[in-house]
C-alpha cells in the first residue's frame, strides 16, 4: 500500500493518527558516503531521489545548512513552463514538464501541479512576431503553444486592460496550455520523503565550511557537523554557488548572485485562472489556491546575497500590475520577500561534471530554477552516476562560455540579468 | 538603499543605475589572448561581502561612481568617482550652480 493513500488515511484516522511516520528522519551524518550532495533545496533533494530511484545509489547524504525548504524552493513564485526558443532549452524544460505531469504519482505526494497554462502578453506587433516565432519553435520541439487574439484573451483573463488607451495595449498573447503552477514546499517535502525512504540521509543544519582535497581531487567536505568523506561531491546550492565554490578554490565562475523579490496580496475570490505575464515591462502573476495573487518582476539589478530587496523594484512591479489589471489598484499587499538567484552569463543553467575531479556542479538557474527541479535532479543524478552528462544536459556545460557555445535565449550578449 | 553621490549628496537608489562588477581588468585592446578576454567577458568573482562595483547617477549628475558595497547587507563602505584614477576620489565641485549655467538642464540656450 502506498504510504499516502485513501486507505492509509482511513486507517490512520481510525488509529487516532498515531502511526504516521515523519516524512523524513533527522539523520546524523556518517563519516563516509558514495555521494554527498551539498544543498538540500529542490534540486539537491531531487538529485538524491533520482540517484536512489534511477541508479540504485542510496549511500547518499544531502547536506543542508538550514532546514528543508528554507531557500529558493520555498521562496519562488511556483511557475512551471517550457516556453523557450532554443532547441537545447526546449528539450530540457519540456522533459521537466513531462516529469512534473507524473510527479505526484511518482512521489506518492501531492505536489498540486496545476496545468493552468501561462499566457505571455505581447504589446507591439514586433513583440507579437517574436512570441509567435517562439511558439512555432515550441511546436517544432514537440511542445504546445497557441496564439490568442485580444478577444480570446478577454474571455480567458477578464481582468486585463485590453483597451486601446492602455499604456501598453495588448495585441495578443502566447499561451502554453501545459504550463502551470505547483505547491513549492510539497515538492521539497515529497522529494525529501522519497529519498529518505530509499535510504538517503538528509542532514539538516549542516553547513559546508570547506572541502577535503587529495591533490586536485575533492574527496569530502568539512562541515559544521564534522568531516564527511565521499567518492563524489555534488554541489547544488543555487544563489550560494559563488560562496561554496570559493571554499573549493574556484574564485571565478560565469555567475553573479542577485536578489529577486516576490509578492503576495491578500486573498481574493477567483480572479485569474492562469499565469499571466506582462510584456510591456516584466511581471508574472498567478493566483494561489488560497486566493492570494502571487507575483514578481525584475531583479533588483545589483549583486546581492541578502535575501531582501529595495523599494524601487517594489514600486515598479506594483505599477506594472496596476497598468495590466487596473481593477487591482486597491488590493493590499500582504508580504514581500527576496531570494538569491545564481544568474549565469547567458541565462541558461550549468549541469556538469567538474570543475574539479570528484566534483559535480549544478547551478546558474537564474530565476527559473523551480520549474526545472525534476529535470535538473534527473539529469544531475545521471551525470553523477555515469560521470558523463545525459544528452539532455550535455549542452549545459561550464566550458560553453569559453567555447562560444552559449545557450542565450535572447541573443544579447554576456550579462547576468537574463533568465 | 541610499547612495551618497560625491557630487549630489545622499540620493535614493532609484536615481542610480548599476553598471556591474568593477573587479575585472579589461585586457589591452591589442591583446589577442582568448583566455584573458573570455575571463573578462564571462567570469565573475561574485563575492559574499565587500564588492567593488560601478554605478551611474543616471537620474542626477550622470557621474559614474566606483562604490564598495557589501553584498551581504547592502551597506555602502565608500563612494568615489570612477575614472582613470581608479578608486582615487576626485575633488567634488563646490556648488552645482556653476555647472547648471551651461548645462543642458536649463534648456534655454541651444
Amino acid at each position: 500500500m502506498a504510504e499516502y493513500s485513501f486507505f492509509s488515511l482511513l486507517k490512520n484516522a481510525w488509529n487516532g493518527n498515531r502511526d504516521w511516520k515523519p516524512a523524513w528522519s533527522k539523520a546524523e551524518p556518517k563519516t563516509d558516503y558514495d555521494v554527498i550532495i551539498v544543498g538540500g533545496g529542490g534540486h539537491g533533494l531531487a538529485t538524491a531521489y533520482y540517484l536512489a530511484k534511477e541508479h540504485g545509489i542510496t549511500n547518499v547524504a544531502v547536506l543542508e545548512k538550514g532546514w528543508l525548504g528554507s531557500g529558493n524552493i520555498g521562496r519562488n513564485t511556483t511557475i512551471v513552463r517550457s516556453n523557450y526558443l532554443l532547441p537545447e532549452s526546449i528539450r530540457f524544460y519540456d522533459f521537466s514538464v513531462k516529469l512534473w505531469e507524473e510527479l505526484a504519482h511518482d512521489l506518492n505526494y501531492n505536489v498540486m501541479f496545476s496545468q493552468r497554462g501561462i499566457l505571455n502578453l505581447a504589446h507591439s506587433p514586433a513583440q507579437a512576431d517574436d512570441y509567435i516565432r517562439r511558439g512555432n519553435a515550441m511546436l517544432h520541439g514537440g511542445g504546445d503553444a497557441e496564439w490568442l487574439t485580444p478577444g480570446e484573451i478577454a474571455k480567458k483573463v477578464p481582468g486585463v486592460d485590453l483597451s486601446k488607451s492602455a499604456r501598453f495595449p495588448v495585441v495578443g498573447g502566447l499561451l502554453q496550455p501545459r504550463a502551470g503552477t505547483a505547491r513549492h514546499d510539497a515538492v521539497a517535502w515529497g522529494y525529501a520523503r522519497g529519498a529518505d525512504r530509499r535510504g538517503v540521509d538528509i542532514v539538516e543544519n549542516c553547513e559546508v565550511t570547506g572541502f577535503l582535497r587529495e591533490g586536485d581531487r575533492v574527496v569530502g567536505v568539512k562541515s559544521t557537523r564534522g568531516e564527511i568523506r565521499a567518492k563524489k561531491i555534488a554541489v547544488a546550492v543555487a544563489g550560494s554557488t559563488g560562496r561554496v565554490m570559493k571554499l573549493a578554490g574556484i574564485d571565478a565562475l560565469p555567475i553573479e548572485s542577485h536578489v529577486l523579490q516576490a509578492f503576495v496580496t491578500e486573498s481574493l475570490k477567483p480572479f485569474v485562472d492562469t499565469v499571466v505575464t506582462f510584456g510591456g515591462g516584466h511581471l508574472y502573476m498567478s493566483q494561489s489556491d488560497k486566493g492570494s495573487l502571487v507575483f514578481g518582476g525584475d531583479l533588483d539589478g545589483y549583486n546581492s546575497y541578502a535575501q531582501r530587496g529595495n523599494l524601487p523594484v517594489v514600486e515598479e512591479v506594483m505599477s506594472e500590475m496596476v497598468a495590466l489589471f487596473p481593477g487591482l489598484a486597491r488590493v493590499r499587499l500582504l508580504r514581500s520577500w527576496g531570494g538569491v538567484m545564481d544568474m549565469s552569463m547567458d541565462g541558461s543553467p550549468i549541469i556538469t561534471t567538474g570543475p574539479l575531479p570528484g566534483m559535480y556542479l549544478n547551478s546558474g538557474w537564474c530565476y527559473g530554477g523551480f520549474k526545472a527541479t525534476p529535470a535538473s535532479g534527473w539529469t544531475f543524478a545521471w551525470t553523477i552516476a555515469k560521470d558523463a552528462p545525459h544528452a539532455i544536459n550535455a549542452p549545459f556545460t561550464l566550458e560553453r562560455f569559453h567555447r562560444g557555445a552559449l545557450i542565450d535565449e535572447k541573443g544579447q550578449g554576456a550579462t547576468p540579468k537574463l533568465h | 538603499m541610499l547612495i551618497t553621490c560625491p557630487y549630489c549628496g545622499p540620493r535614493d537608489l532609484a536615481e542610480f543605475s548599476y553598471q556591474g562588477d568593477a573587479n575585472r581588468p579589461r585586457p589591452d585592446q591589442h591583446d589577442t589572448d582568448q583566455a584573458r578576454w573570455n575571463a573578462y567577458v564571462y567570469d565573475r568573482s561574485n563575492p559574499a561581502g565587500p564588492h567593488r562595483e560601478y554605478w551611474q547617477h543616471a537620474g542626477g549628475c550622470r557621474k559614474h561612481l566606483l562604490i564598495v558595497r557589501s553584498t551581504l547587507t547592502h551597506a555602502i563602505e565608500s563612494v568615489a568617482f570612477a575614472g582613470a584614477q581608479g578608486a582615487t576620489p576626485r575633488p567634488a565641485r563646490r556648488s552645482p550652480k556653476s555647472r547648471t549655467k551651461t548645462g543642458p538642464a536649463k534648456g534655454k540656450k541651444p
Side-chain angles (χ1 to χ4, degrees), chain A residues 246 253 301 303-305 310, chain B residues 1 18 45-46 69 71 74:
Chain A
K246 269 195 184 55
L253 283 169
N303 293 52
S304 174
Y305 284 87
N310 271 290
Chain B
M1 209 153 98
Y18 187 59
S45 56
N46 195 24
R69 182 185 60 94
T71 56
H74 298 164

Side-chain angles (χ1 to χ4, degrees), chain A residues 248-271:
Chain A
I250 308 284
D251 285 325
L253 283 169
I255 287 175
E256 281 189 10
S257 293
H258 281 254
V259 60
L260 177 70
Q261 301 191 63
F263 310 90
V264 163
T265 69
E266 60 188 322
S267 291
L268 306 176
K269 287 187 176 177
F271 174 74

Side-chain angles (χ1 to χ4, degrees), chain A residues 239 242-243 246 251-259 301-306 308-310 312 345 401-403 406 414 416-417, chain B residues 1 12-14 18-21 24 34-35 38-39 41-49 51 53 55 69-74:
Chain A
R243 261 198 282 198
K246 269 195 184 55
D251 285 325
L253 283 169
I255 287 175
E256 281 189 10
S257 293
H258 281 254
V259 60
Y302 42 81
N303 293 52
S304 174
Y305 284 87
R308 64 189 155 79
N310 271 290
M345 297 302 284
F401 296 94
H402 288 194
R403 284 193 296 118
L406 303 185
K417 294 178 182 175
Chain B
M1 209 153 98
D12 188 79
L13 172 66
Y18 187 59
Q19 311 275 300
D21 190 336
R24 303 173 294 137
Q34 192 94 22
N38 277 332
V41 174
Y42 294 111
D43 291 348
R44 299 289 189 273
S45 56
N46 195 24
H51 187 230
E53 55 198 25
W55 290 74
R69 182 185 60 94
S70 168
T71 56
L72 287 168
T73 62
H74 298 164

Side-chain angles (χ1 to χ4, degrees), chain B residues 60 95-110:
Chain B
S95 147
K97 272 182 195 164
S98 60
R99 187 180 171 81
T100 47
K101 231 179 235 172
T102 50
K106 292 263 176 181
K108 290 273 160 64
K109 289 176 196 166

Side-chain angles (χ1 to χ4, degrees), chain B residues 62-86:
Chain B
R62 302 196 62 75
K63 275 286 190 188
H64 289 271
L65 307 173
L66 179 64
I67 292 182
V68 180
R69 182 185 60 94
S70 168
T71 56
L72 287 168
T73 62
H74 298 164
I76 292 171
E77 271 175 38
S78 69
V79 185
F81 291 125
Q85 289 89 351

Side-chain angles (χ1 to χ4, degrees), chain A residues 162-403:
Chain A
L162 291 164
S163 64
K164 291 268 182 271
S165 61
R167 173 66 185 83
F168 296 98
V170 175
V171 301
L174 180 68
L175 178 72
Q176 188 194 14
R178 280 160 66 238
T181 59
R183 170 98 169 91
H184 51 4
D185 299 314
V187 177
W189 300 334
Y191 274 124
R193 197 195 58 161
D196 179 88
R197 296 295 185 264
R198 285 172 169 81
V200 170
D201 279 357
I202 295 168
V203 187
E204 292 170 271
N205 301 310
C206 178
E207 182 174 355
V208 168
T209 55
F211 288 88
L212 302 173
R213 305 281 289 268
E214 274 173 16
D216 248 5
R217 196 171 182 82
V218 179
V219 295
V221 298
K222 291 178 214 160
S223 81
T224 49
R225 297 178 71 173
E227 289 191 358
I228 310 169
R229 300 177 86 83
K231 296 186 187 77
K232 299 179 176 186
I233 317 286
V235 177
V237 294
S240 298
T241 301
R243 261 198 282 198
V244 171
M245 294 306 278
K246 269 195 184 55
L247 300 175
I250 308 284
D251 285 325
L253 283 169
I255 287 175
E256 281 189 10
S257 293
H258 281 254
V259 60
L260 177 70
Q261 301 191 63
F263 310 90
V264 163
T265 69
E266 60 188 322
S267 291
L268 306 176
K269 287 187 176 177
F271 174 74
V272 53
D273 65 356
T274 182
V275 182
V276 182
T277 76
F278 176 53
H282 191 199
L283 172 89
Y284 36 90
M285 190 190 83
S286 64
Q287 189 167 20
S288 76
D289 292 348
K290 283 188 291 186
S292 21
L293 301 172
V294 183
F295 59 107
D298 261 329
L299 296 170
D300 269 41
Y302 42 81
N303 293 52
S304 174
Y305 284 87
Q307 288 194 326
R308 64 189 155 79
N310 271 290
L311 289 172
V313 165
V314 179
E315 194 177 4
E316 186 185 313
V317 171
M318 299 308 139
S319 58
E320 289 179 5
M321 172 113 142
V322 174
L324 193 59
F325 297 101
L328 295 178
R330 297 179 66 186
V331 171
R332 281 166 297 189
L333 190 67
L334 278 195
R335 284 178 285 131
S336 75
W337 64 94
V340 182
M341 310 291 125
D342 37 337
M343 304 301 296
S344 68
M345 297 302 284
D346 64 353
S348 294
I350 296 155
I351 312 169
T352 185
T353 54
L356 298 170
M359 193 182 232
Y360 304 80
L361 179 64
N362 176 325
S363 70
W365 290 101
C366 301
Y367 39 108
F370 178 69
K371 64 174 175 287
T373 305
S376 163
W378 197 96
T379 55
F380 198 35
W382 178 289
T383 306
I384 296 164
K386 315 241 177 205
D387 271 312
H390 188 271
I392 294 173
N393 68 311
F396 298 99
T397 61
L398 194 53
E399 309 86 64
R400 72 173 185 268
F401 296 94
H402 288 194
R403 284 193 296 118

